[in-house]
Amino acid sequence: VPLLMKQIVWMWIFIPNQQRFSFRWVFQVALPALVPKWLRDRVLFFMKDGDPQQRNEILFSMKNHFINATEGTCGFHVMHMGWKKNVPSCTNLLSPTNMKKWSLIVSYIHKWVYSWMNPGNVEDKDEYQISKYLLEKFITSKTVLDAVQGNTFMIGRILKFLRCHVYPWESLYLHYERKRIRHFDTSHSSPHEGTNHGLKSHSAAVKATMNLDLSARTLNTQTSMRVAECEEIIYQEATRTHKKWSTLPTSKYTVTVAEGIMQAMMSRCDQYRAKLVSRTECTSTFQVSYTQVVNMHESRESSNYSLIPRFVRIRTVTVNQDGTMFCTC
């Protein structure tokens, strides 16, 4: 559960192995017995890794017990772990100079694919197809061929990896496919796995020699500590009503993260251009575009992502008679 960039583990289920019958017991027996139907009906999104046994049982459970939920897959497992498994290392093929170039190219390719999973990069099928086409043009470019010292089989392996192991999962990792589902823009399960690892590797770490009861008590104790930490953050946010760094009238009523987002948005007001295109008795319709003014710091930051395409969009904003606004974004 994302909460002020924190996660809370609210249930542990120990399984003897990762075979399908174990996952079936979890999703068909344990969860329906432990989680009431009214709460299961509120589950909207499953984020999972690449384990096919787990995924099959989650899909089966979604038909019977989590009927309002949809699935997503972890971008880290699709891209990073899939790359390690399917794209050979170039360590023994390239010179040290070219190895540095190759590492940079690999980083670009990973960031390019990750851009499809995060908000604001590709917002519909057309933008996705353009970005995907440009990625493959980059992979087959002379720059990449020179970096791999003419080893064309490496380029072939990358394209095969993308077409056979990444693109088939696009309906599960594309942000625009699930942007209307409340999922907190989650695209990776690795932060959750990091939380689990932190709990298990605490100063009172769970060891392989512990019995089940002791392991459960240790994990529950450390989870309670994490919950107390989150409660303290919530209390501080609730009582911090005066934010000296913000002059907006909302500062007394919002948490720091939300106020920071609103402050950043309001500071960019002069970079928006609005054009009235129609007016009726009840509504006014505007076309709104955004022209970004990039300072030197942002320019240096954005240079790391200069290869990833950016799209300029025109939004249609409708203003009702009572002042309520609706945007096509």
Side-chain angles (χ1 to χ4, degrees):
V1 180
L3 177 64
L4 300 175
M5 306 308 292
K6 299 288 184 179
Q7 293 186 351
I8 296 173
V9 178
W10 59 275
M11 180 181 292
W12 297 96
I13 296 180
F14 291 85
I15 58 176
N17 52 56
Q18 291 182 300
Q19 296 182 26
R20 184 162 181 176
F21 80 87
S22 295
F23 289 115
R24 175 164 297 185
W25 174 79
V26 168
F27 291 105
Q28 308 303 327
V29 179
L31 286 179
L34 296 171
V35 182
K37 184 179 184 303
W38 67 266
L39 187 54
R40 296 201 306 271
D41 289 346
R42 295 183 63 184
V43 176
L44 301 180
F45 186 70
F46 274 99
M47 171 58 71
K48 51 190 173 36
D49 57 27
D51 191 323
Q53 308 297 338
Q54 181 194 69
R55 177 177 185 252
N56 289 334
E57 288 306 317
I58 288 177
L59 292 176
F60 190 70
S61 182
M62 286 166 57
K63 294 180 179 179
N64 299 287
H65 305 296
F66 297 91
I67 58 176
N68 295 320
T70 186
E71 65 165 334
T73 194
C74 174
F76 177 83
H77 285 84
V78 170
M79 189 62 199
H80 183 84
M81 302 305 291
W83 183 282
K84 288 176 63 177
K85 183 177 180 180
N86 297 284
V87 180
S89 172
C90 293
T91 306
N92 299 325
L93 295 175
L94 306 181
S95 64
T97 302
N98 281 62
M99 195 64 202
K100 291 182 180 179
K101 294 180 182 178
W102 172 246
S103 298
L104 184 61
I105 287 171
V106 171
S107 175
Y108 274 135
I109 295 173
H110 281 232
K111 290 175 182 175
W112 203 316
V113 174
Y114 287 143
S115 73
W116 304 335
M117 306 174 188
N118 298 313
N121 295 291
V122 294
E123 294 192 351
D124 55 40
K125 185 176 181 180
D126 290 338
E127 291 183 1
Y128 173 57
Q129 294 294 342
I130 292 170
S131 183
K132 188 162 64 171
Y133 170 78
L134 292 175
L135 172 60
E136 294 200 0
K137 292 293 288 184
F138 167 67
I139 293 171
T140 56
S141 66
K142 186 176 184 301
T143 300
V144 178
L145 184 62
D146 291 342
V148 296
Q149 297 177 198
N151 291 294
T152 54
F153 81 94
M154 283 297 302
I155 295 175
R157 291 295 292 272
I158 296 173
L159 293 175
K160 182 179 179 181
F161 163 65
L162 292 174
R163 293 168 182 174
C164 296
H165 301 281
V166 177
Y167 299 161
W169 300 103
E170 58 191 19
S171 63
L172 301 182
Y173 65 66
L174 288 173
H175 181 269
Y176 77 82
E177 290 278 6
R178 59 171 181 257
K179 64 182 179 181
R180 289 176 175 82
I181 301 169
R182 189 182 183 189
H183 69 288
F184 301 101
D185 292 334
T186 301
S187 58
H188 301 77
S189 64
S190 45
H192 182 67
E193 293 178 3
T195 300
N196 289 341
H197 177 73
L199 292 172
K200 290 184 287 187
S201 303
H202 193 266
S203 57
V206 173
K207 304 295 185 182
T209 54
M210 289 182 178
N211 59 36
L212 191 61
D213 289 344
L214 182 57
S215 297
R217 285 199 301 271
T218 302
L219 290 173
N220 286 336
T221 299
Q222 290 160 191
T223 301
S224 298
M225 294 169 61
R226 178 59 61 89
V227 171
E229 178 187 348
C230 291
E231 288 178 343
E232 177 64 23
I233 294 173
I234 294 171
Y235 173 77
Q236 291 178 2
E237 288 288 349
T239 56
R240 190 182 298 145
T241 57
H242 183 59
K243 302 176 180 66
K244 294 181 180 179
W245 49 269
S246 176
T247 58
L248 298 179
T250 55
S251 62
K252 294 181 180 180
Y253 310 102
T254 56
V255 297
T256 302
V257 174
E259 186 66 19
I261 293 173
M262 295 180 67
Q263 183 81 2
M265 292 173 63
M266 295 303 293
S267 68
R268 297 195 296 265
C269 281
D270 59 342
Q271 298 175 33
Y272 287 88
R273 298 291 178 267
K275 178 182 179 182
L276 178 64
V277 293
S278 69
R279 174 175 288 171
T280 66
E281 192 174 322
C282 300
T283 62
S284 299
T285 303
F286 296 84
Q287 285 185 343
V288 181
S289 59
Y290 175 66
T291 304
Q292 185 176 16
V293 178
V294 182
N295 58 38
M296 291 303 296
H297 174 71
E298 290 173 333
S299 179
R300 286 193 297 270
E301 290 292 321
S302 63
S303 66
N304 296 326
Y305 304 92
S306 58
L307 292 175
I308 302 174
R310 297 183 176 185
F311 298 92
V312 177
R313 308 174 182 95
I314 298 177
R315 310 292 192 188
T316 301
V317 178
T318 303
V319 185
N320 288 348
Q321 195 172 19
D322 62 357
T324 307
M325 294 185 289
F326 298 90
C327 180
T328 54
C329 64

